[in-house]
Amino acid sequence: MAKSNGGVLSRSLEAWRTPARMRLAVRGFLALAVLLAVTITATSATLLYNAATVLRDEAEGAATHLAELLSASFAEMGEISLANVARTLDATLDGQMIAQARIAAHLVDAAEQAGFDPPRVIRILEDITANTVLDEFWITNEAGFSYLTNVRDDRGELIPFQFDPDPAVQPQASKFYVLLAAPPGGDDFITQPAQVREIDQEVYKYVGVGGVDRRRIVQIGNALVFGEQEILTNVYTSQRADVSAVIEGILGQHMAVQATIVDRFVSAAEAAEWSAAEIDERLARIVSTTAIGEIRVVDGNGEPVYSSVAATDPSAGDEVPYFHDYGALLDGSEPLLEHASAPRVSDGAVYKYVAVAAADGSRLSQVGIPIESSAGNLLYSVYQREADVLVRSRNLEALWVVNLEGDVTAAAPRAELAAPGAAGAASAFGGRVEAVMSRALEQGRVVSASALSLLAPEDRGIWVASPLINTGGIPIGGLAISVSLDDIALTVQGEALNTTLIAFALLGLTAFAAAWGTRWLTHPIEVIADAARQVEAGNQPEDEDMEEVLRRQDEIGSLARVFTAMTVQVFNREEQLEMLVSERTRDLEESNHNLRVAKEAMEQDLEMAKVVQAALVREGTVEMGVFSACARMTPAQRVGGDFVDVTEPAPGRRCLVVGDVSGKGVAAALFMAASQAAIKAAFAEYDGIDAVTSAANDRVCRQNPMGLFVTAILAVVDPEAGAIEYVCAGHDPAYLIGADDVCRSLPATGGLAMGVLEEFPYASRRQVLQPGETLFLYTDGLTDAVNGGGELFGKDRLEAALVGTAGRTPSEVVHHAWHEIGTFSAGMPAADDMTCLVLRRQ
């Protein structure tokens, strides 16, 4: 009977050894591969499409809002108002005052070579300021002492002034000290925006250049009297009803300053017995390093005496433009004559000219400035400069401004400023840009279009157009911007590549799993077949291979157990008892094995949690304009409850977070992840840091089943103002390390820890960081570190450790703090998670 059953089993097992096993493996592999390929392709394509659509729509919304803001700003530029003129005045005066300072540097060189003593040079400077809108000269020696100046005190004495390089001593004047290091004759300059002066609270604009003969500072100053509206009352506005006339009036006044200084320079150069060629070369050098286009000095008959044109092109004609209008200058009835910007007869280039006469009427000094706008409208030049600044900031790919006739009046980037091989924006005006501009002008509203092609870069971008409407509701033109979507396309392409790599990896795992699965199914049957053949031969089957099969809980395991029971019946009762003992032993071994497997699984889960938490925490160095930040977190256990992040919820908006969850371990780590997600979501929805903290607190309260809480400092960085706005939610205040190494606590805001009370109102504070100041944010894990004697590191030791770190980078400050704490604790285990974030204004 046993032999007969064994024969049946043998034939059955021979059937299992046919190629059906291979067919089963192939079928399993193909089924899993097709299922995974379809699932991954469909899921990935859907997710990538949705992500690309969301990113494109968000970018288009931001571009539309930006176009609305820019159109309002550009429309306002054309309105004549004190605030508007003041806003554009700095851009207008920078180039003109640089030219004035440059000519003054040559004037001082010529005067000193002519043997003029300082009092005589000062009289020349005073004569210039008395007859022009220029107010101050400050001309120094190599040590930075202004021995040549026209500024006097109430008693009529010249005011001595020493330039100091320390910003703490001279916050404004110290910026010009670097000019002393410039080589003589270079084109270095420093411009300073109009601002309230340190000494008397008056609004002044200063510009400085280096010396042409030796290392020195040549600084000029111009007072801007806003209260009396001197900016508006000293200019004409009869020919145009926009700010162009105001700007042209200001330009004419400062060109008169340039012509006056040129006249004094020529007189000093003649006294120094310079040749005409040398004077021409100096005038040409002034033109090549300033905004001036040409300088001419002629006698009373219009014959050229000196000219910048002659030095650069001796064969060119030197006819003085508008000389026929200068009779009033020659007879002394007019101090200067100014001509509105207009195309030149010789080449059609738009120029503005101003001429002044020498005191004795023997000659005229004329200055010509090129106007960028082909229409001769200085407002369009302001538009062009503003467009250049906006495009250089890299927030925009291109910007266009058109008038009501659809003619482009400003376009950036210009061809000479575009990337190598790229055309300027003016030549690219067409296609989608022109289409959206036409629709915007026709409909009187903002119009946008977008395309996100992953394969064709030329068919990728956002184009937005908006009409320019003045304060009277009258359209005056249109504005269009182009925003690149290359970053979004690269992100989507990268995700697609990652998805493809993951798909191939999963297919490889599928092949391995199919082969292993087939082996897992067929091997136990082979073991049972071998045992059956041994029983058929009258031998005791070997138990080693059968042990694994007997542990299975499926049908194959049941078959093996039935076979084992049948074998026991064949053999004697003693063997049956030994088999029962062996089974119990195997059960114990299986339990121990399961315990080891469970322990290893727990260890792997904790290690994976540590990796995930490390991915959630933002560590390392981050550059934010004038700020540099470095963050570091060291958990007390494998996972911790601290978190630190430097995030950018929107372009140009940087946010800092340092938080500490109550407790430690896995629960604290999970609550940390939920808290960090709540804070990031709040940053994405709200602007004010107090509103962000309140919204994050509400989310944490609603997702807090274990009654935990989190203390945190949340801050928003303003790189342009060099400031942060922050909220302390139950957290220890940060330390502010001054440039003088003084360490003090940042004022607290008095808020509760998040997760304690819903709808709690948080207050914020603003702190301006001066250059060289450092902000140190930390959790109590640093101060709770203990040494072998049980002493806490404490705040006093932390403050002492931070003293002397003012000149270090953020990463050096972090490493220094960790080194001090490690030295103090001397190998003791960490009492709590240690986290810090260092922010330094460069």
Side-chain angles (χ1 to χ4, degrees):
M1 181 69 179
K3 188 173 286 189
S4 175
N5 291 338
V8 173
L9 288 173
S10 297
R11 288 192 297 274
S12 300
L13 291 174
E14 287 296 327
W16 278 97
R17 289 195 176 114
T18 64
R21 183 198 311 173
M22 181 60 66
R23 290 195 296 272
L24 181 60
V26 172
R27 289 174 183 174
F29 170 75
L30 291 177
L32 290 174
V34 171
L35 179 61
L36 282 173
V38 172
T39 303
I40 292 174
T41 301
T43 303
S44 300
T46 302
L47 291 176
L48 288 174
Y49 175 79
N50 291 337
T53 302
V54 170
L55 291 173
R56 184 199 63 192
D57 291 345
E58 290 180 352
E60 187 170 357
T64 300
H65 182 62
L66 177 60
E68 292 173 344
L69 295 176
L70 290 179
S71 63
S73 176
F74 273 72
E76 185 186 353
M77 289 179 190
E79 301 292 338
I80 299 179
S81 67
L82 182 63
N84 193 30
V85 174
R87 185 180 65 177
T88 59
L89 189 57
D90 263 337
T92 305
L93 293 184
D94 277 346
Q96 306 310 313
M97 292 183 67
I98 290 172
Q100 295 162 12
R102 192 80 69 195
I103 302 170
H106 287 274
L107 166 61
V108 173
D109 180 21
E112 292 186 343
Q113 288 195 39
F116 293 1
D117 57 9
R120 184 173 178 181
V121 178
I122 290 172
R123 286 195 297 273
I124 296 174
L125 301 181
E126 290 176 333
D127 177 60
I128 294 172
T129 56
N131 292 282
T132 66
V133 296
L134 197 61
D135 292 291
E136 294 184 359
F137 284 97
W138 300 93
I139 303 173
T140 74
N141 55 19
E142 292 91 338
F145 176 73
S146 61
Y147 71 102
L148 299 176
T149 180
N150 67 300
V151 184
R152 299 179 181 271
D153 57 21
D154 296 337
R155 298 174 299 172
E157 299 292 333
L158 292 174
I159 297 178
F161 187 78
Q162 176 73 46
F163 282 82
D164 194 290
D166 189 355
V169 178
Q170 294 176 358
Q172 292 175 322
S174 61
K175 295 179 175 61
F176 294 89
Y177 195 84
V178 296
L179 293 172
L180 291 175
D187 57 358
D188 301 271
F189 63 86
I190 298 291
T191 62
Q192 195 172 71
Q195 55 190 277
V196 177
R197 199 160 59 172
E198 306 163 359
I199 57 174
D200 54 13
Q201 305 304 304
E202 292 185 1
V203 179
Y204 261 76
K205 179 175 181 61
Y206 286 102
V207 169
V209 300
V212 296
D213 54 338
R214 56 175 171 164
R215 297 180 188 272
R216 66 164 85 229
I217 300 171
V218 180
Q219 184 195 69
I220 61 172
N222 191 205
L224 306 181
V225 186
F226 290 95
E228 299 176 2
Q229 299 191 358
E230 182 182 283
I231 296 173
L232 298 182
T233 57
N234 287 351
V235 299
Y236 60 88
T237 59
S238 60
Q239 296 186 12
R240 299 192 186 99
D242 56 37
V243 77
S244 177
V246 179
I247 299 173
E248 184 160 341
I250 296 171
L251 179 61
Q253 293 176 340
H254 282 269
M255 290 175 66
V257 176
Q258 297 160 10
T260 302
I261 304 177
V262 166
D263 177 72
R264 306 305 190 271
F265 159 69
V266 169
S267 297
E270 290 176 341
E273 298 182 351
W274 288 3
S275 66
E278 186 174 0
I279 296 176
D280 289 344
E281 189 275 331
R282 290 294 185 107
L283 296 180
R285 193 192 310 178
I286 293 170
V287 169
S288 66
T289 57
T290 66
I292 299 176
E294 60 181 48
I295 301 174
R296 287 182 169 89
V297 181
V298 298
D299 60 20
N301 297 319
E303 295 298 324
V305 181
Y306 309 109
S307 171
S308 63
V309 180
T312 56
D313 187 5
S315 63
D318 203 26
E319 180 181 353
V320 180
Y322 304 110
F323 180 77
H324 58 277
D325 296 335
Y326 293 153
L329 282 178
L330 296 173
D331 62 18
S333 59
E334 293 289 344
L336 63 93
L337 279 178
E338 172 186 352
H339 285 272
S341 55
R344 292 193 302 192
V345 177
S346 58
D347 56 8
V350 179
Y351 261 71
K352 180 178 179 63
Y353 288 98
V354 171
V356 298
D360 57 1
S362 60
R363 64 181 170 215
L364 301 175
S365 296
Q366 184 191 67
V367 173
I369 299 292
I371 305 302
E372 295 174 353
S373 169
S374 60
N377 190 329
L378 284 173
L379 175 60
Y380 295 163
S381 298
V382 175
Y383 282 171
Q384 183 64 60
R385 286 196 297 271
E386 189 73 12
D388 291 340
V389 172
L390 291 170
V391 173
R392 278 199 301 269
S393 67
R394 299 183 183 275
N395 293 324
L396 299 176
E397 188 175 28
L399 184 147
W400 299 267
V401 180
V402 302
N403 57 23
L404 290 177
E405 289 74 31
D407 299 326
V408 177
T409 60
R414 288 182 280 178
E416 61 269 22
L417 301 178
S427 60
F429 185 76
R432 282 193 175 97
V433 181
E434 190 171 10
V436 295
M437 179 69 81
S438 298
R439 289 167 52 199
L441 294 177
E442 290 173 2
Q443 301 174 16
R445 63 179 181 88
V446 179
V447 176
S448 65
S450 63
L452 181 56
S453 172
L454 300 181
L455 302 178
E458 67 276 3
D459 193 27
R460 181 191 306 152
I462 299 174
W463 301 270
V464 185
S466 173
L468 297 179
I469 301 175
N470 64 17
T471 55
I474 301 174
I476 60 175
L479 175 142
I481 62 174
S482 171
V483 179
S484 174
L485 292 180
D486 289 343
D487 291 342
I488 294 178
L490 290 175
T491 300
V492 175
Q493 291 170 353
E495 291 299 324
L497 177 61
N498 293 337
T499 302
T500 303
L501 295 177
I502 293 173
F504 279 111
L506 289 176
L507 288 175
L509 291 175
T510 301
F512 174 79
W516 180 86
T518 304
R519 179 64 178 168
W520 183 77
L521 287 173
T522 59
H523 177 69
I525 298 176
E526 293 177 355
V527 172
I528 295 174
D530 291 339
R533 282 191 292 270
Q534 291 180 22
V535 172
E536 184 181 17
N539 299 323
Q540 182 75 25
E542 297 180 1
D543 295 335
E544 293 180 0
D545 295 332
M546 287 293 294
E547 289 180 3
E548 183 178 356
V549 180
L550 290 172
R551 288 196 295 268
R552 296 173 65 109
Q553 301 301 317
D554 54 10
E555 290 80 358
I556 296 177
S558 298
L559 176 62
R561 287 188 286 273
V562 170
F563 177 79
T564 302
M566 181 187 68
T567 304
V568 172
Q569 296 297 327
V570 174
F571 295 99
N572 57 44
R573 185 67 61 182
E574 180 179 357
E575 292 176 345
Q576 183 180 14
L577 291 175
E578 290 177 359
M579 184 183 67
L580 291 174
V581 172
S582 298
E583 288 181 356
R584 298 297 181 270
T585 302
R586 286 195 295 271
D587 290 339
L588 290 174
E589 291 175 353
E590 181 181 0
S591 298
N592 290 334
H593 174 74
N594 292 336
L595 288 174
R596 287 193 299 272
V597 170
K599 181 180 178 182
E600 292 174 357
M602 291 177 62
E603 294 289 335
Q604 291 177 356
D605 288 343
L606 286 174
E607 196 64 28
M608 291 179 67
K610 179 180 179 181
V611 174
V612 171
Q613 185 180 45
L616 292 175
V617 174
R618 180 70 175 267
E619 293 186 278
T621 300
V622 178
E623 299 296 332
M624 296 176 289
V626 300
F627 290 100
S628 178
C630 182
R632 182 172 180 178
M633 190 196 85
T634 302
Q637 301 179 6
R638 291 195 178 183
V639 292
D642 283 5
F643 61 93
V644 59
D645 200 358
V646 179
T647 183
E648 187 174 10
R653 182 169 179 246
R654 289 283 188 169
C655 305
L656 313 177
V657 180
V658 173
D660 185 3
V661 174
S662 58
K664 293 184 290 291
V666 176
L670 291 174
F671 191 68
M672 177 276 285
S675 302
Q676 189 175 15
I679 292 172
K680 282 191 174 182
F683 269 125
E685 295 178 11
Y686 298 90
D687 293 329
I689 192 63
D690 50 354
V692 169
T693 309
S694 297
N697 173 61
D698 293 343
R699 285 186 172 90
V700 171
C701 289
R702 290 193 294 269
Q703 301 173 2
N704 190 10
M706 300 179 63
L708 299 175
F709 62 88
V710 56
T711 66
I713 293 182
L714 295 84
V716 174
V717 179
D718 185 351
E720 294 184 0
I724 63 166
E725 186 176 2
Y726 64 95
V727 170
C728 295
H731 202 84
D732 290 335
Y735 286 114
L736 182 63
I737 307 168
D740 55 357
D741 262 335
V742 175
C743 182
R744 57 187 175 86
S745 294
L746 207 63
T749 61
L752 281 176
M754 291 191 289
V756 177
L757 180 62
E758 194 170 356
E759 297 183 358
F760 181 81
Y762 289 88
S764 65
R765 284 180 176 269
R766 180 178 175 86
Q767 179 69 36
V768 176
L769 269 67
Q770 300 300 325
E773 289 190 339
T774 303
L775 197 63
F776 188 88
L777 294 78
Y778 68 100
T779 61
D780 56 9
L782 277 69
T783 55
D784 290 346
V786 297
N787 60 12
E791 294 178 282
L792 291 176
F793 187 75
K795 293 185 177 180
D796 293 338
R797 289 188 176 91
L798 179 59
E799 293 176 5
L802 296 179
V803 173
T805 61
R808 301 187 182 186
T809 64
S811 60
E812 291 174 344
V813 175
V814 171
H815 292 316
H816 176 70
W818 250 248
H819 176 266
E820 293 295 315
I821 295 172
T823 303
F824 173 81
S825 57
M828 295 292 291
D832 198 357
D833 306 330
M834 294 180 11
T835 303
C836 82
L837 188 150
V838 178
L839 179 70
R840 185 174 190 270
R841 181 172 180 183
Q842 300 172 3

